[in-house]
Amino acid sequence: MKKLIAITTLTLVTTSAVFAHSGVKDEHVVARMKGMSALSEDMKIIGGMAKGEAAFDAEAVNDALARMSEESARIEGLFETRADDPKSEARALIWEDFSGFTEKADDLTKVTAGLSGTIQSADDLGPLLKQVGKSCSTCHSDYRE
């Protein structure tokens, strides 16, 4: 059941990113959205394998985690400038509690870096999704519309 919840959450997060970019004019908001979309794309790779939509490929999962670690390390810089757009899903709380926000972004970096290179079998995907999903949803629940 927990795996199903993690996969459902992952699907919702990744699908909403596809429609978010059209018409956004502020370059800072566009850069943030692109960064979050990159994370989403890597989660789709992992989620597709977890759902059985793609064959398990340890190298692809570990590569996705490495990219996620690199991308999540950029989050703080992407949000340093307060910028808004009607299509942005970033809450004002990000800048009101920037240290809390960056702490949660750092957690994603640590989680994905720690998992990268460790995934060896499809059985590793459930715990991976639980850890990464928890990190993503903790931040999204506070700082994303």
Side-chain angles (χ1 to χ4, degrees):
M1 180 66 172
K2 289 180 183 180
K3 186 175 179 180
L4 177 62
I5 292 169
I7 291 171
T8 303
T9 301
L10 168 68
T11 303
L12 291 173
V13 168
T14 56
T15 343
S16 66
V18 173
F19 301 105
H21 300 173
S22 61
V24 176
K25 302 209 184 318
D26 188 281
E27 66 185 80
H28 298 99
V29 175
V30 170
R32 293 189 323 230
M33 290 177 154
K34 285 182 179 179
M36 294 298 164
S37 288
L39 290 169
S40 173
E41 288 301 314
D42 284 319
M43 283 300 287
K44 282 182 188 177
I45 291 168
I46 298 167
M49 290 180 210
K51 291 189 276 186
E53 296 172 352
F56 175 75
D57 180 342
E59 184 176 355
V61 173
N62 286 303
D63 288 349
L65 288 165
R67 286 189 303 270
M68 290 178 74
S69 179
E70 290 175 20
E71 189 61 46
S72 62
R74 297 181 57 235
I75 291 174
E76 180 176 353
L78 289 171
F79 284 86
E80 282 179 334
T81 300
R82 185 173 185 157
D84 200 16
D85 185 276
K87 293 195 176 194
S88 174
E89 295 178 324
R91 290 185 177 166
L93 183 60
I94 290 172
W95 297 278
E96 295 163 11
D97 179 29
F98 200 67
S99 64
F101 173 73
T102 58
E103 183 179 306
K104 289 180 181 180
D106 289 344
D107 180 64
L108 179 60
T109 302
K110 290 175 188 170
V111 167
T112 52
L115 289 168
S116 178
T118 68
I119 306 306
Q120 297 178 7
S121 74
D123 292 338
D124 296 331
L125 294 178
L128 176 161
L129 285 172
K130 183 177 179 182
Q131 290 178 57
V132 176
K134 179 180 177 186
S135 183
C136 291
S137 65
T138 298
C139 193
H140 284 183
S141 66
D142 290 340
Y143 301 108
R144 181 179 175 205
E145 294 291 334

